[in-house]
Amino acid sequence: MTDIPELNQAEGQQLEPQTTRRSIAVRSYLNLDTAILLGILLIAIIFRFYKITLPLVDGFSWRETSTAMMADNFQQRSWNIFFPEVSWTGPGPSYQGREFQIVSYLTALLYQLFGWHDWFGRVVAAFFGLVTLFSLHRLTALCWGEMHAHAAALAYALMPAAIMIDSSFLPDPAMLALVTLGVWLFVKYWAGGSRWLLPLATVSFTLGALSKPPGLAAGAVIFYLMICWILEKRWKHATSVLLSGLLSLAVIGAYFGWAIYLGRSYPPFHVAGSGGYIWDYGFWAYVKDRFYFNSAWNTSVLWFYGYPFLMLLAVGLWMPPRTAQDPKQRILSAIPFVWLAAAMIIYLAAAGEITSNVWNFHIFHVPAAMFCGRGALLLATLASGTALTPAVVLRAICIVAVTLSWSTLPLVRTMKKPIAMKGKLLGEEMARLAQPGDLVVAIAPEVGDPVAVYYSRARGWVFPPGGGDSEWSKFVADDATAIAQLEELRAQGADLFGVAKNATDKQDLLFVEHHDGVIDHLDRTATKLVDSDDLLVYRITRP
């Protein structure tokens, strides 16, 4: 059949307006989605940079100040990232077995460029939090579509636990950001993206798991998709993923093997996160304590989520999205369940450690945000089947208002209370009194918290001295033992002794009452420099 130019031209003239309108609609839709994502990112920035200059005195001050000390020591003593060092175990070296120090190292670089500010670590963490939100949004879009992606990202932006952790000087924001980015890049690769996505995903995921071991839970998603390829007999693709995964695990295993060696080779022989697991306490001890679910529930209600987010999570889990017709999409839609199940396995094995150091719950927050977003979308749309009607918009506004007023605002305010402020004041007072090279001994309001040592800008010890198998969050039973510990620190070169008068250990024993004999000993053997309503500081004299 011979082509007729006039007919082809006429058909082109008829089709062009339709094609143009369709392309305009697609561009408008994409622009709308982009605008929504940018708006959610702006909301996340507002909440994560709220009180960003707060000193390290909130509920996480213990862990934050240890991380901050490592940043100080990178900048002041050695830039070798494989030798993280704290300042609360004496003159040093005080190397410890720690996770790969991405947040503290980046913060040290900021110190080098702009000078020391205690809140720089919060800024680094907040930027990682924004990476998490963006990666979560794109991952959810691949799994459940753009509308669910918007809802999940907004849930993450407003979730009190995510806000608190993402604005704290901790390694966890880097962990979640990098593993989420790695998983998203891998899912894009699995769905037909560029082959270069695999090495990028491997590097990002590996750095995330190095930042904090719980990040390994997200690797279950990659393993799940690899198994799907094996079942489809796509051997070449599955083999490349397997090799990348083995390389990643080898790097992770090698680093943490080094960290354990380092922590066991230098006093006080401390390896972070090395206790509280099911193999430490025993399976039946975990069963007796009901896997610490009561503690996890209290943390969830009173600190991390509140009832509105827990309700949205329950609704989202109860009514997941309908099974897709496309086999590939069915596989992708299961990803949030795989991640959540893997995180639960981590919890069941490490509930003692996780509930003691609650920032470890951060690995849950990607699937939790997905299901909270799903729950919010269900409640907003109900039977309407659309997200564009005025009724749906009004319901969505009500849901956001309830979560803000009942969860986000009150819980973030609670978590950011400056509960360790007197420890900071003690440290600053000791910094004022210290001479160059002085070593300090400090007892913060929460015994064992190194916040006072950190703000003294000196090296020294918490008291009782801790690390390794030593218990440093409880006072010893009698004055004689405490005095012996103090005299040993004096022999090691301690110059200043300071205590906040409200210093209380985890047995609720007040230092000034429980160890009044230690104070009498100091009155006889040291020079009292400060005795105020809140603080007591002595200069320790040599024998």
Side-chain angles (χ1 to χ4, degrees):
M1 181 177 178
T2 304
D3 289 340
I4 304 174
E6 292 82 359
L7 180 59
N8 290 340
Q9 183 179 4
E11 288 178 347
Q13 289 174 348
Q14 291 175 357
L15 292 174
E16 186 176 7
Q18 286 186 332
T19 304
T20 302
R21 284 196 297 271
R22 189 178 297 114
S23 63
I24 291 173
V26 170
R27 283 199 301 270
S28 176
Y29 178 74
L30 291 176
N31 289 337
L32 177 60
D33 280 332
T34 302
I36 292 173
L37 175 56
L38 291 175
I40 294 171
L41 282 167
L42 179 60
I43 292 170
I45 289 170
I46 291 171
F47 279 101
R48 279 148 184 79
F49 281 81
Y50 166 69
K51 290 191 174 181
I52 197 69
T53 59
L54 180 73
L56 307 181
V57 294
D58 53 48
F60 295 166
S61 70
W62 186 316
R63 187 64 166 88
E64 288 179 298
T65 49
S66 285
T67 308
M69 286 175 177
M70 287 182 269
D72 284 350
N73 286 317
F74 284 136
Q75 193 230 351
Q76 296 171 6
R77 291 165 70 94
S78 170
W79 285 101
N80 192 333
I81 198 170
F82 294 101
F83 286 84
E85 183 177 9
V86 297
S87 303
W88 48 265
T89 63
S94 298
Y95 304 128
Q96 296 194 341
R98 298 274 180 167
E99 54 279 303
F100 194 60
Q101 294 299 308
I102 293 177
V103 172
S104 60
Y105 205 83
L106 291 174
T107 305
L109 292 173
L110 291 180
Y111 293 163
Q112 188 71 13
L113 292 172
F114 304 107
W116 179 84
H117 295 279
D118 55 359
W119 49 270
F120 275 179
R122 295 190 188 275
V123 173
V124 172
F127 276 107
F128 275 117
L130 298 179
V131 173
T132 300
L133 187 143
F134 178 81
S135 303
L136 161 66
H137 183 278
R138 302 320 304 147
L139 177 63
T140 309
L142 289 171
C143 298
W144 291 347
E146 290 290 339
M147 192 59 68
H148 280 94
H150 297 328
L154 183 59
Y156 186 83
L158 298 178
M159 190 179 291
I163 292 170
M164 181 63 185
I165 296 171
D166 282 347
S167 58
S168 296
F169 199 163
L170 300 171
D172 303 78
M175 175 272 291
L176 192 61
L178 291 167
V179 297
T180 307
L181 177 61
V183 168
W184 167 52
L185 293 174
F186 178 78
V187 173
K188 280 190 68 176
Y189 166 71
W190 187 91
S194 167
R195 62 189 179 90
W196 291 106
L197 291 172
L198 179 58
L200 291 175
T202 303
V203 170
S204 183
F205 178 84
T206 303
L207 287 172
L210 287 171
S211 298
K212 204 75 183 289
L216 286 168
V221 174
I222 298 173
F223 182 75
Y224 157 71
L225 294 177
M226 183 189 73
I227 294 298
C228 291
W229 263 341
I230 292 175
L231 294 176
E232 295 172 3
K233 294 183 170 54
R234 298 181 65 177
W235 305 113
K236 182 178 179 181
H237 290 81
T239 301
S240 63
V241 174
L242 177 62
L243 293 176
S244 297
L246 291 175
L247 176 61
S248 174
L249 290 175
V251 172
I252 294 166
Y255 176 78
F256 283 106
W258 161 255
I260 292 171
Y261 168 78
L262 187 69
R264 290 176 176 174
S265 301
Y266 290 88
F269 309 106
H270 179 70
V271 179
S274 58
Y277 303 101
I278 195 167
W279 48 84
D280 294 320
Y281 294 168
F283 174 77
W284 292 113
Y286 259 49
V287 171
K288 181 180 178 182
D289 288 324
R290 301 176 184 177
F291 285 84
Y292 300 88
F293 283 132
N294 186 53
S295 176
W297 174 256
N298 289 336
T299 297
S300 299
V301 173
L302 302 177
W303 264 40
F304 269 17
Y305 314 109
Y307 289 109
F309 275 101
L310 292 174
M311 183 188 71
L312 293 177
L313 177 62
V315 172
L317 283 168
W318 186 259
M319 298 182 67
R322 294 178 182 176
T323 303
Q325 295 297 323
D326 178 53
K328 180 178 286 188
Q329 195 57 49
R330 272 203 306 272
I331 292 171
L332 292 176
S333 65
I335 285 175
F337 296 93
V338 173
W339 189 321
L340 183 62
M344 280 302 305
I345 292 172
I346 294 290
Y347 174 83
L348 293 175
E353 165 68 15
I354 290 173
T355 52
S356 296
N357 301 297
V358 292
W359 41 83
N360 288 305
F361 279 108
H362 207 35
I363 191 60
F364 281 89
H365 292 154
V366 165
M370 288 179 166
F371 286 110
C372 284
R374 168 66 182 167
L377 207 56
L378 282 169
L379 294 177
T381 57
L382 292 178
S384 65
T386 177
L388 299 176
T389 65
V392 169
V393 173
L394 182 60
R395 284 196 290 265
I397 292 172
C398 290
I399 291 169
V400 171
V402 169
T403 55
L404 274 173
S405 60
W406 198 359
S407 284
T408 306
L409 296 177
L411 295 187
V412 170
R413 196 179 302 120
T414 296
M415 287 188 284
K416 287 189 178 291
K417 283 183 178 177
I419 60 173
M421 183 59 78
K422 289 185 179 179
K424 174 179 180 287
L425 296 176
L426 172 62
E428 291 174 337
E429 185 66 19
M430 297 179 84
R432 185 182 67 82
L433 297 169
Q435 298 172 4
D438 275 356
L439 298 173
V440 303
V441 181
I443 310 175
E446 183 181 359
V447 172
D449 186 349
V451 61
V453 178
Y454 174 68
Y455 280 103
S456 74
R457 313 304 300 143
R459 299 180 70 86
W461 297 266
V462 293
F463 192 86
D469 295 327
S470 302
E471 174 62 76
W472 67 89
S473 60
K474 294 193 301 185
F475 296 131
V476 295
D478 56 82
D479 287 333
T481 304
I483 290 170
Q485 289 177 326
L486 181 58
E487 288 302 309
E488 183 178 346
L489 297 182
R490 185 204 299 262
Q492 294 180 49
D495 299 287
L496 290 174
F497 178 94
V499 57
K501 288 188 174 179
N502 64 340
T504 308
D505 72 356
K506 69 178 184 181
Q507 304 172 109
D508 292 327
L509 297 175
L510 192 67
F511 179 86
V512 294
E513 295 177 355
H514 179 67
H515 279 319
D516 55 345
V518 176
I519 296 174
D520 290 340
H521 175 76
L522 286 165
D523 285 334
R524 293 192 303 270
T525 62
T527 303
K528 185 182 293 184
L529 302 179
V530 177
D531 188 359
S532 66
D533 292 339
D534 299 321
L535 311 175
L536 192 59
V537 180
Y538 291 87
R539 175 161 291 281
I540 299 174
T541 54
R542 294 285 166 258

